[in-house]
Amino acid sequence: MGEPYYITTAISYPNGKPHIGHAYEAIAADVIARFKKAEGFDVRFQTGTDEHGLKMAQKARDLGTTPADLATEMSSHFKAMCDALDIDYDVFIRTTEPRHHVASQELWRRMEANGDLYLDRYEGWYSIRDEAYYDEGELVAGEGGEKLSPQGTPVEWTVEESWFFRLSRYQDKLVELYTTADFIRPESRKNEILRFVEGGLRDLSVSRTSFDWGIKVPASNGSEDTGHVMYVWVDALTNYLTGLGFPEETSEFAKFWPADVHLIGKDIVRFHTVYWPAFLMSAGLAVPKQVFGHGFVLNRGQKESKSLGNVTDPIALAETFGIDTLRYFFLREVAFGQDGSWSPEAIVTRANAELANSFGNLAQRSLSMIFKNMDGVLKPGLPQTEADAQLLAAVADGIAGLRASFDALSFSEGLEAWMRAVFACNQYVDEQAPWALRKSDPERMEAVLMMLFRVVRDLAIAVRPVVPGSIDRLLDQMGVSAEARDFAALGDSKWFESLAASGYKVEKPVGVFPRLELPEETPA
């Protein structure tokens, strides 16, 4: 196996069904994981659900059920979303699993052994919706004059006994981490966090006694139950270790920790880049290599919310437009790291212009002409012209651009480079006009069609991490074996000759990217 690569999404808070933001993050992480696999890495991809905390306890009470039953029911919706969007994760972690309680309590013990936990009284502003504490200076005034968090969520003045983590101890180490490593991306998030930490860090309240739906704080010195449960973020962040077998010294932990990238939404960057590395430093564990805070996906320019009534079910969206269409649209349309917007019109326009009319039509025309004009027979060794060499160079350049951009998590730029190669192929078809060559120069027609077969295969392999189901259906029709669909296959100069020698014949092709029509009703 190749070099290890560990990627995680944030674990989703399941007090509601999945929305478009959950889908966007899962798709992006899946594309990164598939891209790294195609590049030869030994990939581990983890996602899951974050099931403790006051919000879950309150939601369960409102519904007349238990938090445990609610967590099990809601977690199943997130697994269903992953299935519906072709998310090929390795581990789906649930924070209610016994192994996660063991991992979280061990992390706590290590922080305590390092002298970083002490008991005191917490008085301050707390947002139940964010499960976060805020200083007075961070609060903003609401329309009625009430105090709100920086996210616009209500806050309550909270007073209770609490364990505190000596976050203030780690200010200098965190600043050093931000300034000497590529730890936070994109740059705008790094600058924001750096300013926050340089402004001074206060110790963090890391336990609660006002509710009990959480992981129990382990008792000290053999004493009985402390009556405290861990602050939900201590528990939630530990999931990235739990999935590797921590605290056991497993081969997975040795191989994959520290994580290569935690992919998260921009609204939880502080938890992942301030609290999490400080906890890990305290526990004597390596910090992750990178945290990437992506932007929000807006519905016609508005953030989706229950109050606006514009929350979209991603499964229904995939059923309407197609799984791969949705995956391609989000990565092509949105500059990764920034906010982006979607609408049914935008999905249909982008999918028809690029997947159906450009690449899909190229593949369908090419295979169809080989089937009709050459009885599906592949012929290697035909003479090449300067136009052929230029086409091969343009396609190689486009694929190299996709790989370089994807490696930098610049998906939109990578797909732009890929599209330039697709356009070069379509221009080549128009200029060579194989339908005319059929009468005037049949051998040249065959050379052109064989050239098209080769470049369609290369372009298909390149974009496969984004639209895997559709590309696999196309490559099946081209006789490309399942083992020869990663980027190493692009360097095989003999694949075409080998396929032709095997006697493979192209059958009548079936299109894999149909044109879309705008639905009468938008999925909700």
Side-chain angles (χ1 to χ4, degrees):
M1 297 294 281
E3 186 182 337
Y5 187 88
Y6 181 33
I7 179 170
T8 69
T9 66
I11 49 174
S12 302
Y13 205 78
N15 64 330
K17 288 186 178 180
H19 55 64
I20 209 72
H22 296 119
Y24 178 59
E25 182 169 295
I27 289 168
D30 184 70
V31 170
I32 296 168
R34 288 176 186 269
F35 169 73
K36 286 294 182 180
K37 283 178 190 171
E39 288 282 17
F41 286 80
D42 182 6
V43 174
R44 189 175 182 90
F45 170 22
Q46 180 169 307
T47 189
T49 42
D50 170 18
E51 300 175 9
H52 292 126
L54 185 53
K55 269 190 298 189
M56 284 293 284
Q58 290 183 341
K59 180 79 171 180
R61 189 182 62 220
D62 292 346
L63 294 173
T65 186
T66 66
D69 286 347
L70 176 65
T72 296
E73 179 199 342
M74 298 308 289
S75 183
S76 70
H77 294 300
F78 286 85
K79 286 185 177 177
M81 179 197 75
C82 288
D83 292 343
L85 298 174
D86 209 358
I87 309 301
D88 188 22
Y89 58 80
D90 297 293
V91 180
F92 189 101
I93 192 89
R94 294 184 56 194
T95 57
T96 46
E97 294 176 49
R99 61 175 174 158
H100 182 65
H101 286 243
V102 171
S104 301
Q105 290 177 331
E106 177 60 23
L107 187 77
W108 182 281
R109 289 189 189 96
R110 292 189 188 190
M111 295 192 296
E112 187 175 31
N114 200 42
D116 284 331
L117 296 175
Y118 62 92
L119 201 57
D120 204 340
R121 195 169 79 140
Y122 176 76
E123 292 189 30
W125 296 104
Y126 188 73
S127 164
I128 296 172
R129 201 178 305 171
D130 297 348
E131 299 280 14
Y133 305 99
Y134 294 105
D135 292 337
E136 183 84 33
E138 294 182 89
L139 302 181
V140 295
E143 288 181 8
E146 75 275 23
K147 294 178 185 291
L148 300 175
S149 76
Q151 313 292 344
T153 57
V155 294
E156 294 178 0
W157 184 257
T158 304
V159 180
E160 63 182 305
E161 184 184 66
S162 175
W163 284 94
F164 282 78
F165 173 73
R166 297 186 195 277
L167 186 62
S168 55
R169 260 190 189 174
Y170 291 90
Q171 182 170 335
D172 292 344
K173 287 182 179 178
L174 290 170
V175 169
E176 183 183 358
L177 173 64
Y178 307 152
T179 52
T180 59
D182 197 19
F183 180 67
I184 307 175
R185 287 184 61 205
E187 192 74 12
S188 57
R189 314 263 188 266
K190 172 184 166 182
N191 296 335
E192 174 190 316
I193 293 296
L194 190 55
R195 282 194 303 273
F196 172 75
V197 173
E198 286 178 337
L201 291 176
R202 294 171 57 186
D203 290 351
L204 180 69
S205 171
V206 289
S207 76
R208 305 296 303 274
T209 56
S210 54
F211 63 96
D212 62 0
W213 178 241
I215 294 179
K216 292 186 183 303
V217 168
S220 304
N221 306 320
S223 62
E224 294 303 310
D225 184 2
T226 64
H228 288 249
V229 294
M230 292 183 197
Y231 172 42
V232 69
W233 276 102
V234 179
D235 150 17
L237 290 162
T238 307
N239 93 87
Y240 304 126
L241 301 174
T242 305
L244 296 173
F246 178 84
E248 299 296 322
E249 294 182 10
T250 63
S251 57
E252 286 85 1
F253 188 83
K255 180 191 288 187
F256 290 107
W257 192 260
D260 290 87
V261 64
H262 291 323
L263 188 64
I264 60 166
K266 66 180 183 180
D267 53 336
I268 55 172
V269 169
R270 182 188 299 183
F271 304 101
H272 283 78
T273 60
V274 182
Y275 305 163
W276 181 224
F279 296 160
L280 290 167
M281 290 172 184
S282 174
L285 295 167
V287 301
K289 296 174 189 174
Q290 190 171 95
V291 175
F292 192 106
H294 63 77
F296 294 140
V297 177
L298 308 174
N299 186 336
R300 299 185 191 275
Q302 286 186 306
K303 191 174 179 186
E304 294 198 350
S305 73
K306 290 175 185 171
S307 58
L308 288 173
N310 65 348
V311 177
T312 307
D313 175 3
I315 297 178
L317 209 59
E319 287 170 351
T320 300
F321 296 110
I323 299 168
D324 283 343
T325 297
L326 209 58
R327 290 170 62 102
Y328 183 87
F329 172 81
F330 281 132
L331 293 195
R332 178 75 169 101
E333 190 80 7
V334 181
F336 202 59
Q338 299 176 23
D339 289 350
S341 194
W342 80 274
S343 68
E345 295 85 354
I347 293 174
V348 169
T349 300
R350 178 73 75 179
N352 283 347
E354 299 187 0
L355 291 180
N357 295 354
S358 295
F359 182 66
N361 190 40
L362 170 71
Q364 176 79 356
R365 280 203 296 175
S366 301
L367 298 185
S368 189
M369 285 188 285
I370 293 168
F371 171 71
K372 287 178 182 175
N373 299 324
M374 299 178 64
D375 294 326
V377 174
L378 303 179
K379 294 186 180 180
L382 296 174
Q384 287 187 15
T385 65
E386 179 60 27
D388 299 343
Q390 287 176 359
L391 178 67
L392 289 173
V395 170
D397 189 54
I399 292 173
L402 178 145
R403 292 171 70 174
S405 293
F406 274 35
D407 199 49
L409 307 188
S410 297
F411 304 114
S412 190
E413 287 181 15
L415 291 171
E416 177 72 32
W418 179 79
M419 277 307 305
R420 284 197 297 271
V422 173
F423 291 147
C425 292
N426 282 318
Q427 187 177 352
Y428 171 86
V429 175
D430 292 343
E431 290 172 355
Q432 297 301 315
W435 49 88
L437 289 170
R438 184 182 177 196
K439 294 179 181 176
S440 62
D441 190 347
E443 187 183 61
R444 177 60 191 155
M445 176 204 71
E446 292 181 341
V448 167
L449 296 183
M450 293 303 94
M451 184 59 54
L452 289 171
F453 187 86
R454 291 170 59 181
V455 294
V456 165
R457 172 262 194 184
D458 290 357
L459 289 168
I461 287 174
V463 83
R464 184 170 175 257
V466 183
V467 283
S470 301
I471 292 303
D472 281 344
R473 289 192 293 277
L474 173 60
L475 292 175
D476 285 347
Q477 296 179 64
M478 298 181 73
V480 178
S481 69
E483 304 77 47
R485 297 181 182 184
D486 58 11
F487 294 152
L490 296 172
D492 178 5
S493 60
K494 299 294 183 186
W495 73 271
F496 183 66
E497 288 78 4
S498 300
L499 183 60
S502 73
Y504 184 81
K505 290 178 70 171
V506 175
E507 300 295 334
K508 185 177 181 180
V510 177
V512 297
F513 292 114
R515 276 187 59 80
L516 299 178
E517 299 293 335
L518 197 62
E520 291 182 14
E521 289 187 21
T522 304

